[in-house]
Amino acid sequence: MSHPLKLTLTRCYRFSASHRLHSPRFTEEQNRDLYGKCSNPYGHGHNYTVEVTVGGPIDPETGMIANLGELDPFVEREVIEPFDQKYLNEEIPEFQDVVPTTENLCREIYRRLKSFPAARLERVRVEETSNNSFEYGG
Ligand code: NI
C-alpha cells in the first residue's frame, strides 16, 4: 500500500505591534545591559511577518491540504486580530509575566494555532526584522 502524498502549505500573515524587552527579575541596569535599547521604557514597534505551515495529505476531493478559506479566518481570529496594533507586554495576557521576545512570541503563536482543525500545524516562523526570524515546530 502506498503512503498518501504528504505536502506542506505555508501562508504569510502580517501584523504590527510594540513591545519592551524587560524582565522584572533583573534590575533596570541589568535589563539595559541585557536588552540594550530594546529595553527602552516606552517600548518600540515591529512589523512582524508570520509564516504558518500546515501539512497533511491532499484531500482527493478538493485537491488541497487545507482550505485557505478556513486557515485565514482562523489565524485572523487567533493571532492577527488580538495582536495587531497592540502593546504586547500589557495587552496580551500571556506576556504579563513572560518577556515578549520574538522567541516567546513565536511559541505563543504556535500555541494559539495548534488547534487548527483542518490540517496539522507543522511550524510557525516569525520574522521580526529582515535580519531576525525565529521558528518553532512544537
Ligand atoms: Ni523589538
Side-chain angles (χ1 to χ4, degrees):
M1 198 181 125
S2 65
H3 289 282
L5 191 57
K6 196 194 155 197
L7 285 93
T8 57
L9 154 71
T10 299
R11 180 89 160 155
C12 264
Y13 302 88
R14 287 173 187 83
F15 69 91
S16 301
S18 62
H19 69 171
R20 179 191 184 198
L21 301 187
H22 178 271
S23 170
R25 271 173 245 165
F26 305 127
T27 64
E28 285 299 322
E29 197 190 347
Q30 286 171 320
N31 271 290
R32 263 198 311 277
D33 287 347
L34 185 61
Y35 298 118
K37 62 184 179 181
C38 295
S39 192
N40 171 343
Y42 301 105
H44 62 277
H46 292 284
N47 296 315
Y48 293 97
T49 300
V50 180
E51 274 181 24
V52 177
T53 301
V54 296
I58 301 177
D59 182 325
E61 307 236 313
T62 65
M64 299 190 292
I65 298 169
N67 193 333
L68 293 178
E70 292 175 58
L71 184 61
D72 285 355
F74 181 78
V75 175
E76 187 67 35
R77 189 184 70 231
E78 298 297 324
V79 174
I80 308 304
E81 165 68 23
F83 286 33
D84 191 37
Q85 307 298 333
K86 298 289 166 58
Y87 180 46
L88 300 175
N89 301 59
E90 290 187 8
E91 297 184 83
I92 302 297
E94 287 80 5
F95 296 128
Q96 302 272 307
D97 302 311
V98 171
V99 185
T101 57
T102 307
E103 290 90 326
N104 284 329
L105 185 58
C106 191
R107 263 184 33 182
E108 176 57 22
I109 292 173
Y110 183 93
R111 193 189 66 78
R112 288 174 180 236
L113 297 181
K114 189 84 180 83
S115 62
F116 180 57
R120 206 182 104 82
L121 180 66
E122 300 277 348
R123 187 172 65 245
V124 166
R125 180 173 168 271
V126 180
E127 202 175 282
E128 180 187 44
T129 69
S130 53
N131 296 325
N132 293 355
S133 69
F134 301 87
E135 225 178 274
Y136 187 61

